Amino acid sequence: MPRVKTRGGIGEDILRIEDQRLLTGKGRYVGDLPLPDVLEMAVLRSPHAHAAIISLEDRGATDLPGVSCAMGGAALLQEAPHLFGGVQPPLATDEVLYVGQGVAVAVAEDRYLAEDALEKLFVRYRRLDVLADVERIVTQAGGDAASHDDAVIAFGEIDPLFAAADIVLEERLAIGRATAQPLEGRAILAVPEGEGLLIYAATQGPHGMRQGIASALSLPPERVRVVAQDVGGGFGVKNGTYPEDVLAAYLALKLQRPVRFQEDRREHFLSTVHSRAQVHRVRLAARRDGTLLAIDDDMLLDAGAYTARINYGMATAVTIPGPYHLSAYRCRVRNVKTHKVPVGPYRGAGRPEGNFVMERMLDALAERLGLDRAEVRRRNLIEPHEMPYDTLIPDRYGHGSIVYDSGDYPLALETALNAADLDAWRSRQAEPLADGRRIGIGIAMFTEDTGVAPFEMAVTELAADGRILIATGSPAQGQGHETSFTQIACSALSQTPDEIVYADTDTALVPAGIGTFGSRATVLAGSALYLACGKLKELLLQEAAAVLRQDKDLLSLSPGRVEGPEGSLALSELAAQAAAKGTPLRALADFRPEQATYADGCHIAIVAVDPQTGGVEILRYVIVDDCGVVISPRQVDGQIQGGLSYGVAAALLEELVYDEQGQLLTGSFMDYPLPTALDVPGAEIHHLCSPSPRNPLGVKGVGEGGTVPALAAVAGAVEDALRPLGGGMARELPLTPERVVRLIADAQAK
Amino acid sequence: MEPQDRVRVQLTVNGSEVSRLVEARRTLADFLRDDLGLRGTHTGCEQGVCGACTVLVDGVAMRSCLTFAAQLDGAAVQTVEGLAGDGDLTPLQEAFRRRHALQCGYCTPGFLMTATEFLRENPSPSEQEIRTALSGQICRCTGYENIVQAVREAAGTLQADQRRQA
Ligand code: FES
Ligand code: FES
């Protein structure tokens, strides 16, 4: 871990570098890139969840002025069969599997004209049976339901523990289908260049996209260059290669014109991956004193029409045990096929759901035993002296078991309890507020694997002007890497931010990369960058020693210079000399940790619930977060506060509701309520610091920690508020006003 | 009139006179972005809900995704590009930067325009008034707290400025 303090370095609370351009309308999002001859693409989408395509008729689409091309899936298959080798075809040819699946494409001089062309394409469908409800599908199929990929994560002997347990609880818990909705939709601009393509993309993983597009188009990867500049939010969904990416890339090559696809909001709802969508049948075994023994979970995931690129149900499975001792564990994951939009990761990617399951079951245990919710947790927490702690949970990549690296979970709990001033709130719970609302308190703790493997690379280079260029494979979609990565470089190279140049993430600059998701960018790309800076420092000192004729070991770096006891040298001079020699001073590092690193923390939510209307207001929200060493303090808090809004939304607001015909009923911002400034409270954030021993910076990821425990904390608080009125357990999210009111009505009906 | 028919509009945008022939169906957002190259105005939903596309028309915040350019003959439009001179930031923009009120920045122009109008109408707002005023704007990144604090801080700065000038 770096110890020397540098202005603008690690841990300094500096203003963000990217803000100047973003505040003045000078961002460079894909839709903003001015190209004179760019064509815009639009996609015709299926109105049916499951249907055979009988015919597609062009009644003049291609004859419209300004339209370069309009074609359906069957025509595309004939023209370019090689595009159809992936999991999902770029366009449906003879059968559609969800409302929103593309059936035809048009490109034209602008989007208006492209949509005009689509209006002249007529498709005849024959409707087929629709699979919509996962529990019904599994019941009807008697265990043979078609599923994408299933797995069991388990350790220890489950059955004897359940047989001998004092307490066995069993519940059905469910988390609704939801989707990330970054404010900028998906966007790609494919520009033909030489024999290949230059692609500007709103993507979390440029290298993965390069691979995806190259293999779809049967091009060698080096002929595809992907660049990510400013990206308007990602949250998990702007990753991988979507059908529209393949279409835009193919059509740009075919027409030899730049082609842009900019998704609109309606399309985003109907074609960008959905997430969450889990139903759990979970059993908990415990002793009378509250000691947890075993958890047995059977998870059904409503996986949609095509196999997910990332099976986030597995992330749920490894998250459920959390910060607690467990003697045995089993989780069966079934990704059930439905006629809906395919699923994929969404902020937390399965972890919030897993956390919800465990924390709700602990609350149920507390309720059963008449114990305080904090006390049940306290009795089961892993202690700091047990670190590194082998959980025995099989690593889902098959590398042995998950070992937590560091953390003080009891301290996280006590810090949160003290900060929240619970006694004062508890004393207000006995009576309703003057307006009839009831106060509830929810507690949730979490551990989260962050910085998941396998690797990330970084490049550093002394630029011609003497500044230092830094580049990684992990672009930002709001996380502010331009600032935080600059801070890392400042510390490693004793520079100030003015001497650092942050490069757009570009597959031409960095040989390989994975991307920004799973709270991994700072852990992996940040560490790779730190190592690359270390290598560059060696190079710079070595070269400077030769020029200055001084002992390298006596030289050191300072902003813009190399200093020695007998004279110094500007980095710009060193750059000029390197240029003259034709040997660039450049370093590449590849960081490959053995295991993820484990962040943890505790959330406490205090809410007021109106038993009449079901309305929930969050009065106070306390977060204790341990993400190890903090690089950019304001951005860490920003991630936590932003992450919290996702947890609150999952707990109270967001749900993609489908009817039995597979029609999405909540397909716009009018009926899919995103949280506003009136819904999300300002959290009180406290930090603990247990540095990770698994990377040179001591960091852990923080992008999802604000989300993960918030579902359970808020749900637990709502339930707590209604207990004095005879309310039952909060088992299903989101807790819409209707579901809140039903907590009382249903419990009383029993 | 057909949606594709062209209409002549003359208006001022950020103080400059503009005269263009536009399709009747062309939204103000597309007109600003594609015809005038003012790409600071973003669209997040094109359904009038998210507020990302907000611009000021004759000083009043309007959703440029739901407004046709052809409706604006004679109007004065202000966009994020017109908030401050080159290189400068307004006190509101400064406060957004100081308070870390933006992450991806995609929603930011809309928030800035809405808050600019709001602070002119209500120079010393309470936190609740700020939250209500901003509740028609969606931000997916920040969780709003820092935006609310930035608007508060800007209100304070503006008031201090006014006091100094008085
Ligand atoms: S784009 Fe206009 S309100 Fe969303
Ligand atoms: S900063 Fe990304 S949407 Fe607001």
Side-chain angles (χ1 to χ4, degrees), chain A residues 183, chain B residues 102-107 139-142:
Chain A
L183 204 53
Chain B
L102 61 153
Q103 291 182 20
C104 80
Y106 198 79
C107 69
C139 173
R140 294 300 284 150
C141 298
T142 61

Side-chain angles (χ1 to χ4, degrees), chain A residues 324-399:
Chain A
Y324 309 106
H325 293 116
L326 262 187
S327 302
Y329 175 63
R330 180 167 64 198
C331 179
R332 180 177 181 200
V333 185
R334 278 183 285 175
N335 287 286
V336 182
K337 269 192 192 179
T338 56
H339 292 115
K340 299 181 192 168
V341 175
V343 295
Y346 166 29
R347 202 154 190 172
R351 296 167 187 86
E353 300 92 307
N355 182 271
F356 176 74
V357 168
M358 185 62 159
E359 295 294 316
R360 292 279 52 221
M361 291 308 282
L362 285 172
D363 286 349
L365 181 61
E367 180 77 17
R368 165 69 84 87
L369 295 171
L371 274 176
D372 183 83
R373 286 175 171 180
E375 184 57 25
V376 163
R377 289 171 169 81
R378 200 176 279 130
R379 289 185 191 178
N380 289 290
L381 285 174
I382 295 161
E383 300 282 330
H385 65 81
E386 297 175 272
M387 293 291 171
Y389 180 81
D390 187 346
T391 63
L392 304 179
I393 307 164
D395 176 309
R396 66 198 137 118
Y397 308 103
H399 303 323

Side-chain angles (χ1 to χ4, degrees), chain A residues 54 136 379 635:
Chain A
I54 310 290
R136 196 173 314 148
R379 289 185 191 178
Q635 295 206 91

Side-chain angles (χ1 to χ4, degrees), chain A residues 171-176 276 278-280 282 284 295 297 315-317 319-324 350-364 377 443-447 647 650-652 707-719 729-735 739 743:
Chain A
E171 293 293 347
R172 174 190 177 276
L173 302 174
I175 302 103
R276 315 255 195 260
Q278 297 181 358
V279 182
H280 295 257
V282 56
L284 172 151
I295 296 279
D297 183 46
T316 305
T319 301
I320 287 175
Y324 309 106
R351 296 167 187 86
E353 300 92 307
N355 182 271
F356 176 74
V357 168
M358 185 62 159
E359 295 294 316
R360 292 279 52 221
M361 291 308 282
L362 285 172
D363 286 349
R377 289 171 169 81
I443 302 176
M445 302 199 58
F446 77 101
T447 52
L652 300 175
T707 305
V708 171
L711 286 66
V714 173
V718 171
E719 173 187 299
M729 182 176 179
R731 299 179 173 90
E732 193 161 351
L733 298 187
L735 287 164
R739 286 203 181 107
L743 286 182

Side-chain angles (χ1 to χ4, degrees), chain A residues 39 79 82-83 107 189-199 213-214 216-220 223-224 245-259:
Chain A
L39 294 167
E79 177 179 300
H82 62 285
L83 300 178
V107 286
L189 171 58
V191 185
E193 222 185 40
E195 288 179 286
L197 287 164
L198 165 59
I199 288 176
I213 286 178
L217 270 58
S218 305
L219 287 173
R223 292 231 198 111
V224 180
D245 299 328
V246 174
L247 288 172
Y250 169 72
L251 292 170
L253 268 189
K254 168 178 156 165
L255 302 168
Q256 284 297 303
R257 292 265 306 264
V259 172

Side-chain angles (χ1 to χ4, degrees), chain A residues 32-225:
Chain A
D32 300 345
L33 303 176
L35 278 184
D37 55 348
V38 66
L39 294 167
E40 303 284 345
M41 183 178 107
V43 173
L44 185 66
R45 297 180 185 280
S46 168
H48 301 297
H50 189 201
I53 298 175
I54 310 290
S55 64
L56 185 146
E57 199 190 327
D58 179 349
R59 297 192 193 153
T62 22
D63 305 333
L64 288 174
V67 175
S68 302
C69 156
M71 68 166 106
L76 183 66
L77 176 62
Q78 216 166 34
E79 177 179 300
H82 62 285
L83 300 178
F84 288 72
V87 173
Q88 176 170 357
L91 290 172
T93 52
D94 51 2
E95 188 183 10
V96 288
L97 297 181
Y98 60 93
V99 173
Q101 182 167 15
V103 296
V105 63
V107 286
E109 297 299 325
D110 70 27
R111 173 84 183 215
Y112 291 78
L113 296 169
E115 291 187 17
D116 287 347
L118 296 183
E119 281 183 10
K120 301 221 173 283
L121 298 178
F122 289 82
V123 186
R124 282 182 53 221
Y125 297 94
R126 181 162 43 80
R127 286 163 64 168
L128 301 168
D129 287 345
V130 173
L131 298 172
D133 181 274
V134 285
E135 285 168 296
R136 196 173 314 148
I137 294 165
V138 170
T139 316
Q140 285 173 354
D144 291 331
S147 60
H148 297 294
D149 49 313
D150 295 348
V152 175
I153 293 269
F155 68 84
E157 292 287 331
I158 281 278
D159 297 331
L161 285 169
F162 271 92
D166 302 328
I167 313 267
V168 173
L169 302 176
E170 180 166 359
E171 293 293 347
R172 174 190 177 276
L173 302 174
I175 302 103
R177 202 173 237 261
T179 172
Q181 306 292 337
L183 204 53
E184 173 204 37
R186 288 185 292 125
I188 181 170
L189 171 58
V191 185
E193 222 185 40
E195 288 179 286
L197 287 164
L198 165 59
I199 288 176
Y200 296 96
T203 180
Q204 298 174 236
H207 289 89
M209 177 176 263
R210 174 178 67 173
Q211 188 58 45
I213 286 178
S215 79
L217 270 58
S218 305
L219 287 173
E222 56 279 8
R223 292 231 198 111
V224 180
R225 175 179 166 200

Side-chain angles (χ1 to χ4, degrees), chain B residues 30-51:
Chain B
D30 289 338
F31 175 71
L32 291 169
R33 289 176 50 79
D34 297 336
D35 297 358
L36 304 187
L38 295 171
R39 295 190 169 84
T41 299
H42 299 146
T43 55
C45 68
E46 296 170 89
Q47 295 166 338
V49 185
C50 75

